[in-house]
Amino acid sequence: PLERSVRASALFTALVLVAQLLLGGLVSSRGAGLACLSFPTCDGVSFVPSWSGLIGLQIVHRLNGCLLLGAFVCFAWLSRATPRVHRLAFAGVRLVLLQILVGALNVWLQLKVEVTALHTAFAASLALIVGLALREVFRGARARRASTAGATREWEAPQTA
């Protein structure tokens, strides 16, 4: 059976992804995509020159992206005994790494529309991966509970009227 840690890791990863999607929407809608003009530092010198305004929003988006990568790595590690879930979690690790690279390209190329569209497409792909992983984790748990309940009933003594 899937361990509680795998389910908890899947949920944590999903929550961090939702936060990242919200932050990405804020970065885009507030025009904070180029609040930091370099990558990986923000201003060519410091990783966190300020926590306020558009720069702060961009920094939080970058840091949460790192947290998302860590969440996917933990999820992939914890799910390695469950091949279907592990494949999805590891695909998430690869996609987050690509997403970070595309985010850096967004900065280096000054928000080229094609790169920005790719960044959005990868975000949607991550949402799909997490949705599929959650389905596997929790559908598998329900199926195991149902099969366990059925096995228990087979061992019960027959009822006499």
Side-chain angles (χ1 to χ4, degrees), residues 75 79-90 132-133 135-137 139:
F75 183 32
S79 66
R80 65 193 183 282
T82 311
R84 289 172 67 149
V85 175
H86 180 71
R87 277 193 300 273
L88 289 166
F90 194 66
L132 291 171
R135 185 187 71 172
E136 285 298 317
V137 166
R139 185 173 62 169

Side-chain angles (χ1 to χ4, degrees), residues 20-44:
Q20 188 66 355
L21 293 172
L22 292 172
L23 287 166
L26 284 172
V27 165
S28 177
S29 67
R30 303 285 167 110
L34 290 178
C36 292
L37 295 174
S38 65
F39 187 90
T41 62
C42 183
D43 57 4

Side-chain angles (χ1 to χ4, degrees), residues 3-15 75 78 137-138:
E3 294 179 19
R4 185 180 312 241
S5 60
V6 174
R7 293 191 305 273
S9 180
L11 282 174
F12 179 74
T13 302
L15 290 173
F75 183 32
L78 291 170
V137 166
F138 289 98

Side-chain angles (χ1 to χ4, degrees), residues 4-5 15 18 29 44 49-51 57-59 68 75 89 92 115 117-118 123-124 136 146 154:
R4 185 180 312 241
S5 60
L15 290 173
V18 167
S29 67
S50 171
W51 286 107
L57 181 58
Q58 179 61 245
I59 295 299
L68 183 61
F75 183 32
V115 179
L118 187 59
E136 285 298 317
E154 290 175 9

